[in-house]
Amino acid sequence: MKRDPRAFLRVGGSTVLAAVAGLLLFASFPPRHLWFLAPVGVAILVGVVSGIGSSNRPSKKAGFGYGFVAGLGFFVPLLPWIGVYVGPLPWLALAAAESVFIGVFGVLAAVLGRSRWWPLSIALAWSLVEWARSSFPFGGFPWGRLAFGQPDGFLLPLASVGGAPLLSFGVALTGCGIAALVACILGPRSRGRWATATATTVVASVAALALLPTLAPAQASGDEPSITVAAVQGSVPRLGLDFNAQRRAVLDNHVRETLRLADDVAAGRVAEPDIVVWPENASDIDPLRNADAAALITEASEAVGAPILVGSVLVNDDRTTTNSVIAWNGADGPGERHDKKIIQPFGEYLPYRSFFRLFSEYADRAGYFMPGTGNGVVHAAGVAVGIATCYEVAFDRALTESVRSGAQFIAIPTNNATFGDTEMTYQQLAMSRVRAVEHGRDVVVAATSGISATVSPRGDVEQASDLFVPEVLVQRVALRTDTTIATAVGPWPEYLLCVLAGAFVIGTAVIGRRTNLKSEKAQEKGFESDIRA
C-alpha cells in the first residue's frame, strides 16, 4: 500500500512547526528580552495541534505528538542547568516529563479546536495544563510557566489581579487570538464570518484583560514608611556541587563582605542598613550547633549594626536537615526563622532513592532535607519580612501566604552556585519580578554567586549584581501593608480558569458525540432508503 507523499510532507511540516513553536517559547524567556515571541509560539502550536484554518484536522494522537515535540523544543534548551554538574540524564528526563504535559495540551487543543469558541477554550486549556504540571508529580514543577517569561511584557500588570495564572492565561489568549486572525485570513471562506467574529472577540478580551489592572489598588502612595536593606553576595570558592565542601570559606566570604559593608557605612559611603539579607546556604555550618559559626555571624551583625537574615543548613536530631533563614541580631543571637517549606525533589530530597540509585551515581548526593512549617514571615528590626527561599519563589502559594500574613517586603535568599554559568539565575530573577507585581511589594534577592537584585513593586530591577563576584547592594525599600487583588483572591483565579477549561472540554466532547450520532443515524436512514429503492 502506497503512502500519500502529501500526507508525509504534511506531518513532517507540522512536526517542524511544532518544534519551532517550542523554540520560540524558549527564546521568549530571560536573559533575552523577547517576551513577545511567547504568544507567537503559542499561536503556531495552536495552529498545528488544532488544525485551525485547514481541512485536515489532526487526530488526538497527532495532537499529543505535536505537543510533545513542542515541549521538547521548549524544555530541552530551557533546563540544561539541571544537568550541568550531574550529566544529561536528569536534564533530559525532566524535559521529557514536562513535555508530556504539553502533549496533553495538544490533545485538548485537538478536541477544542472543533468548537466555535476555540480561541478562548484552548487558552483555558493551557491554564489547566500549567496548573497540572505545577502540581504533579512530587508537588509539581512550575518552571517555564508563560508568566515567568513576561517580566518585560505589556501584560505584566495582570499579575496584580490574578497572579501568575492570569498572566499566563493572558499570554495564551493573545496567542490564540493571533491564531484566530491567521485562520481568518488563510482559512476557508465559508468560515470567514465566524472566524472574524471570534478573532475580534479574542482581541477585545485581551484588551479588557490589559485594562483590568487599573482596578487594582495603588501599589505605592509614597507615604509608606521605608527602611534600608542590604543584600550581601559573598560568592563561593568554586562553582559546582562541591562548593559545599568549603562551607567555612563560603561563610567567611559573607562575613568579610558584611564587615566591608560596615566599613563603608562608617566612612559614610553607603547608608546604614536596618536589615541585612544573606543568601541561601551562606552558612552551611549549623550556627545553632557550631560556636565558631555563631561567633562569626554575631561579629558581622554587631559590626554592621543590624540583624542579618542568615541562610543556613540546620541539622536535626535525627540527622536530617532543614534549609532555614534565621534572623540573627548581634549578641542577642538567633530569633525567628523560616524553614523552607517547598523543598526540591531530586535535589534537596530524593523520592524513591533506592530506585534512582540504579541509574545515577549522584542519587546519594541528593539531600535529606525536611520541609518546614510556618507562614513564611520572619520578623527582624520590627519589620515583617516575607521569605521565599530559592525554589519556593516558583510556587504561587509561598509568597501569597507570606503577604497575607503581614509581610511588608519580600526577601528571596537563593543559591545558584550549583547551576554554574547557566540561564537559571536569570529565569529565577524573572519570577521574583513577577512576584513583586503580583503582591505589590519590594523584593530583595540575595544570591551566593549572583544574580542578586532589588526589584520595585512595578517589577523593575533597580539594582543588580554581576555573576561570580563578591558584591553588596544597598537599597531603600518601602514597607507596605496594602494588598493587591491577586494577594486577596489567592488561588481562585486559577481554579476558575481550570473549571472553565474542564467545562469546555466536557461540553465539546458531548456536542461532538451528539453530532456523530446524528451523522450515523442520517447515514443509516440513507442506507435504508437505498435498499427500499
Side-chain angles (χ1 to χ4, degrees):
M1 180 178 179
K2 293 183 179 181
R3 293 185 177 182
D4 185 354
R6 291 175 298 180
F8 178 80
L9 291 174
R10 185 168 59 249
V11 171
S14 295
T15 302
V16 171
L17 284 174
V20 169
L23 289 171
L24 288 174
L25 291 178
F26 159 69
S28 72
F29 274 69
R32 295 159 295 279
H33 301 281
L34 304 176
W35 54 268
F36 49 86
L37 293 180
V40 177
V42 171
I44 293 174
L45 178 57
V46 167
V48 170
V49 298
S50 65
I52 299 300
S54 170
S55 58
N56 296 298
R57 294 292 184 93
S59 65
K60 288 180 284 188
K61 183 178 179 180
F64 178 86
Y66 295 141
F68 184 78
V69 169
L72 291 176
F74 178 29
F75 288 112
V76 169
L78 186 76
L79 303 176
W81 49 269
I82 293 290
V84 68
Y85 292 116
V86 297
L89 182 59
W91 157 42
L92 296 176
L94 179 60
E98 294 301 305
S99 298
V100 169
F101 287 97
I102 310 301
V104 172
F105 168 75
V107 174
L108 296 177
V111 172
L112 295 170
R114 296 173 172 83
S115 70
R116 190 176 186 84
W117 297 98
W118 64 266
L120 176 60
S121 61
I122 291 178
L124 289 167
W126 185 278
S127 295
L128 178 62
V129 169
E130 275 204 356
W131 167 81
R133 73 178 192 84
S134 299
S135 305
F136 311 102
F138 310 119
F141 186 70
W143 221 274
R145 293 168 75 176
L146 291 180
F148 297 150
Q150 299 296 307
D152 297 308
F154 78 98
L155 289 175
L156 177 63
L158 286 176
S160 68
V161 178
L166 186 62
L167 178 53
S168 284
F169 173 70
V171 177
L173 186 60
T174 303
C176 289
I178 294 172
L181 288 172
V182 172
C184 178
I185 297 170
L186 301 180
R189 292 187 178 182
S190 60
R191 297 177 182 173
R193 184 176 298 176
W194 73 263
T196 302
T198 303
T200 303
T201 301
V202 171
V203 172
S205 298
V206 172
L209 284 172
L211 292 174
L212 270 178
T214 62
L215 303 175
Q219 294 186 354
S221 65
D223 299 327
E224 302 92 344
S226 61
I227 62 170
T228 299
V229 178
V232 176
Q233 177 179 305
S235 198
V236 297
R238 62 176 179 267
L239 300 179
L241 299 179
D242 292 330
F243 90 94
N244 282 321
Q246 299 191 28
R247 294 175 297 171
R248 177 57 186 265
V250 176
L251 174 58
D252 287 344
N253 285 355
H254 288 86
V255 170
R256 182 181 63 250
E257 291 307 309
T258 305
L259 295 177
R260 185 176 298 169
L261 170 63
D263 291 341
D264 289 341
V265 170
R269 289 187 288 269
V270 296
E272 181 179 0
D274 297 289
I275 295 175
V276 176
V277 183
W278 280 7
E280 177 189 29
N281 302 126
S283 177
D284 273 358
I285 302 173
D286 185 347
L288 303 184
R289 293 177 178 267
N290 186 291
D292 290 343
L296 287 170
I297 297 169
T298 297
E299 177 190 2
S301 178
E302 289 183 325
V304 80
I308 301 175
L309 301 181
V310 180
S312 183
V313 174
L314 305 182
V315 180
N316 303 318
D317 292 336
D318 61 358
R319 309 311 297 172
T320 60
T321 51
T322 57
N323 190 339
S324 302
V325 175
I326 309 170
W328 199 287
N329 190 14
D332 293 337
E336 295 182 14
R337 79 187 204 210
H338 166 70
D339 294 338
K340 189 175 182 180
K341 298 169 64 177
I342 306 174
I343 56 178
Q344 181 184 356
F346 304 97
E348 291 174 307
Y349 80 99
L350 184 63
Y352 312 119
R353 188 181 297 266
S354 59
F355 172 76
F356 286 107
R357 189 181 287 125
L358 300 174
F359 301 95
S360 175
E361 62 183 8
Y362 291 100
D364 287 322
R365 302 190 67 171
Y368 291 84
F369 284 86
M370 300 299 292
T373 58
N375 59 11
V377 174
V378 169
H379 290 85
V383 175
V385 185
I387 307 289
T389 305
C390 194
Y391 186 61
E392 290 183 309
V393 73
F395 292 83
D396 299 334
R397 63 184 183 274
L399 287 173
T400 296
E401 182 180 15
S402 297
V403 177
R404 282 181 167 182
S405 299
Q408 295 168 286
F409 81 92
I410 293 168
I412 311 291
T414 184
N415 172 27
N416 299 333
T418 51
F419 302 114
D421 187 11
T422 66
E423 296 182 357
M424 181 271 183
T425 189
Y426 301 98
Q427 295 167 7
Q428 190 181 62
L429 178 57
M431 298 179 194
S432 297
R433 295 176 63 187
V434 172
R435 299 305 184 196
V437 175
E438 180 177 354
H439 299 294
R441 293 291 187 271
D442 286 275
V443 173
V444 177
V445 180
T448 49
S449 56
I451 296 175
S452 300
T454 58
V455 182
S456 76
R458 295 172 61 104
D460 299 323
V461 176
E462 297 178 315
Q463 294 187 69
S465 69
D466 292 325
L467 284 169
F468 316 127
V469 295
E471 197 163 345
V472 176
L473 306 180
V474 179
Q475 181 72 44
R476 198 76 184 168
V477 303
L479 303 179
R480 294 182 169 85
T481 56
D482 59 337
T483 57
T484 62
I485 295 175
T487 304
V489 299
W492 287 105
E494 185 168 41
Y495 293 162
L496 178 60
L497 293 171
C498 291
V499 168
L500 290 174
F504 268 110
V505 171
I506 294 172
T508 302
V510 169
I511 293 172
R513 183 174 179 80
R514 289 179 178 175
T515 302
N516 290 336
L517 289 174
K518 289 180 180 179
S519 177
E520 290 174 1
K521 289 180 179 180
Q523 289 178 359
E524 289 177 0
K525 289 181 179 179
F527 182 69
E528 291 175 357
S529 299
D530 290 342
I531 292 176
R532 290 171 184 171

